[in-house]
Amino acid sequence: MEESQKESSSEPIKSNFRRLVHRIYLLFSNEYTFFIFVAILIGFLGELTNFAFIESYQFIYSKAVMPLWGSPFVIVSTIGGGLILILLSFIFPPSEALGYSFPKFLERINLKGGVLKPKETIAKTVASCVTLGFGGSAGQEGPIAQIGGAVGSFVGQILRISRNKIRVFVACGVAAGIAATFNAPITGVLFAEEIALLRDFKIESFVPIVISSAIGTITSRALRGDTPIFRVPLYRLVSYKELFFYATLGLVTGLLASGFIKLFYWTKDTFVRLELPPQE
């Protein structure tokens, strides 16, 4: 009698548990909802990896460059960083450890489905950390975007997502890294859309990127605080005539940027084509 009462009392619990499991299954079986949950994960992981990268090169900079700052011996730090990069070129392929890698990163995203290799990502991360840490003339936007994008790519590969959808995950990682580093979530979203999904913009991909950017920013503010990386002075539009000069400035800057890119690659190709005589 008691056993039958226990079984009857446990039936509602089992029924409620089955309903809960079924609802969770329906929730995660929906592709759109699944993308949102993965975007949250990528935003969190993307900021953690970028935080580790930034802390690493800033630590190296504080130990290798700052003690010599203001003295002629500060160049020793840059030379030391260059020697370390040469050593890395023997450990990793030179194309992965040296050179400007962002164009190759864009090629991986837009032409090869966003599938990034762990070894290549590690090489680029270590090389960028050494370059920035030892005072090399380089920016942090490229490495940060690549690290965040690599996180998204690895998550997509682990989950065995198709290549078209991996690109969305890569964009989520890029947005999280840029937004968290510069405390600018909108900038992270636009930057990711521009480099990863420029030819394939869809509202279904836009929402996960926004979520990753927001999660990356929240995580960054929890770790670093909410102080903006750039202090922008207060601006007020005095006259609408100013818009003409802003438009002119944008046009001139765009032309100069295009000319600089062409000059950069022309110089690079010229040196590649040089046939220098062998030294005796």
Side-chain angles (χ1 to χ4, degrees):
M1 188 73 176
E2 292 179 357
E3 293 180 358
S4 60
Q5 289 178 353
K6 289 181 180 180
E7 291 179 359
S8 60
S9 61
S10 63
E11 282 300 324
I13 298 176
K14 293 181 180 178
S15 178
N16 292 332
F17 179 74
R18 293 193 191 98
R19 291 177 184 174
L20 177 62
V21 172
H22 182 65
R23 289 179 180 178
I24 294 175
Y25 171 78
L26 292 177
L27 181 65
F28 282 92
S29 62
N30 183 283
E31 184 180 78
Y32 189 67
T33 307
F34 173 74
F35 266 48
I36 291 177
F37 277 99
V38 176
I40 294 173
L41 175 64
I42 293 174
F44 178 70
L45 295 178
E47 162 50 21
L48 288 183
T49 52
N50 278 296
F51 178 77
F53 170 76
I54 294 173
E55 290 294 314
S56 298
Y57 85 72
Q58 287 183 347
F59 175 78
I60 297 173
Y61 187 82
S62 66
K63 299 298 182 182
V65 178
M66 290 305 295
L68 301 176
W69 189 256
S71 71
F73 298 101
V74 71
I75 193 174
V76 176
S77 299
T78 306
I79 295 175
L83 293 176
I84 295 176
L85 290 175
I86 293 175
L87 293 176
L88 288 176
S89 67
F90 289 100
I91 300 175
F92 301 101
S95 61
E96 297 178 2
L98 303 176
Y100 189 63
S101 59
F102 199 67
K104 191 174 182 180
F105 174 69
L106 296 180
E107 179 184 349
R108 292 273 186 186
I109 296 175
N110 294 285
L111 300 180
K112 298 183 179 180
V115 178
L116 304 177
K117 300 178 181 179
K119 183 179 179 181
E120 181 178 340
T121 302
I122 293 173
K124 294 298 182 185
T125 302
V126 174
S128 299
C129 188
V130 171
T131 302
L132 294 172
F134 284 89
S137 178
Q140 58 179 335
E141 299 87 355
I144 285 170
Q146 293 181 70
I147 294 171
V151 171
S153 177
F154 297 155
V155 170
Q157 292 177 57
I158 292 173
L159 297 176
R160 297 184 178 181
I161 301 298
S162 65
R163 291 197 172 189
N164 288 334
K165 295 174 183 177
I166 283 182
R167 291 176 57 209
V168 179
F169 289 172
V170 172
C172 288
V174 171
I178 294 296
T181 302
F182 297 99
N183 200 6
I186 297 177
T187 302
V189 173
L190 297 179
F191 185 82
E193 288 284 352
E194 179 183 1
I195 69 169
L197 300 174
L198 184 61
R199 297 180 303 170
D200 189 26
F201 176 80
K202 296 179 181 178
I203 192 64
E204 292 84 358
S205 62
F206 182 75
V207 173
I209 294 173
V210 172
I211 293 174
S212 288
S213 180
I215 295 298
T217 304
I218 293 172
T219 307
S220 174
R221 292 182 179 182
L223 295 173
R224 299 192 187 96
D226 58 354
T227 303
I229 191 171
F230 299 117
R231 295 188 178 275
V232 181
L234 183 64
Y235 171 75
R236 183 177 62 182
L237 183 67
V238 178
S239 173
Y240 288 105
K241 296 178 181 179
E242 298 178 26
L243 298 177
F244 170 76
F245 296 99
Y246 297 147
T248 304
L249 178 63
L251 177 62
V252 173
T253 304
L255 293 175
L256 291 176
S258 176
F260 172 78
I261 294 173
K262 292 180 180 179
L263 177 63
F264 175 85
Y265 283 105
W266 177 83
T267 305
K268 174 178 175 294
D269 295 337
T270 300
F271 277 96
V272 170
R273 289 193 299 265
L274 284 179
E275 296 182 0
L276 299 177
Q279 297 181 354
E280 297 181 359

